[in-house]
Amino acid sequence: MAVSTPVSANDGDQLPLGIDVLLERVRAAYERIEPQEAYEAARAGDALLVDIRYAALRERDGLIPGALVVERNELEWRLDPQGSHRLPEATSHGLRIVVICNEGYASSLAVQSLHQLGLRRATDLVGGFQAWRGAGLPVE
């Protein structure tokens, strides 16, 4: 699918992109990761899995063992290595972070924000938690 450019309105302003075009542009800036690769990277200690799903989804569907749970509205504050509210796991800008939402949409926008903070190795899980579970990977 080609990325479309917004059309100019009569007054010269650009029309809004729309979420589908925005997601396409965001995702074109990095490589997303599949569930099995994320699982293997986390097991090897090469990636930090970060679950941004809200509590009701975690309670309903379970957790990925070893994943760090960080609510979406706290993500940047908790993972910025220079931030005063960072988590101990946020050790450097070179940290490989795999953001996981429910289906792989919100996580893409979260990755864009992490990239803006200099966390250039951040990526997200294609299909989110549902794809992880669908691949038969561990859930508790």
Side-chain angles (χ1 to χ4, degrees):
M1 174 190 300
V3 176
S4 61
T5 304
V7 179
S8 293
N10 291 338
D11 61 3
D13 292 335
Q14 287 191 344
L15 296 176
L17 290 177
I19 190 61
D20 294 328
V21 173
L22 177 61
L23 271 174
E24 227 176 293
R25 288 184 180 182
V26 165
R27 289 173 174 169
Y30 66 95
E31 280 190 46
R32 302 178 78 208
I33 191 170
E34 296 288 336
Q36 187 64 42
E37 184 183 353
Y39 172 72
E40 291 168 8
R43 284 193 61 193
D46 184 42
L48 176 65
L49 304 180
V50 179
D51 186 343
I52 64 169
R53 294 175 300 143
Y54 53 89
L57 288 177
R58 294 191 311 267
E59 291 169 11
R60 182 189 77 190
D61 295 336
L63 298 167
I64 295 172
L68 185 64
V69 174
V70 179
E71 295 279 341
R72 173 61 192 101
N73 63 330
E74 297 180 358
L75 187 68
E76 293 82 357
W77 285 268
R78 300 295 185 213
L79 294 181
D80 179 3
Q82 298 175 351
S84 58
H85 294 88
R86 71 176 176 84
L87 293 169
E89 294 86 352
T91 56
S92 78
H93 285 93
L95 183 64
R96 185 177 185 199
I97 298 167
V98 179
V99 181
I100 303 165
C101 67
N102 194 49
E103 295 180 343
Y105 295 99
S107 56
S108 295
L109 298 177
V111 167
Q112 179 187 37
S113 183
L114 294 178
H115 283 189
Q116 290 173 331
L117 291 175
L119 295 159
R120 304 307 288 166
R121 294 186 70 208
T123 188
D124 72 321
L125 187 67
V126 175
F129 178 86
Q130 297 305 322
W132 177 280
R133 186 172 62 183
L137 296 170
V139 174
E140 53 185 32

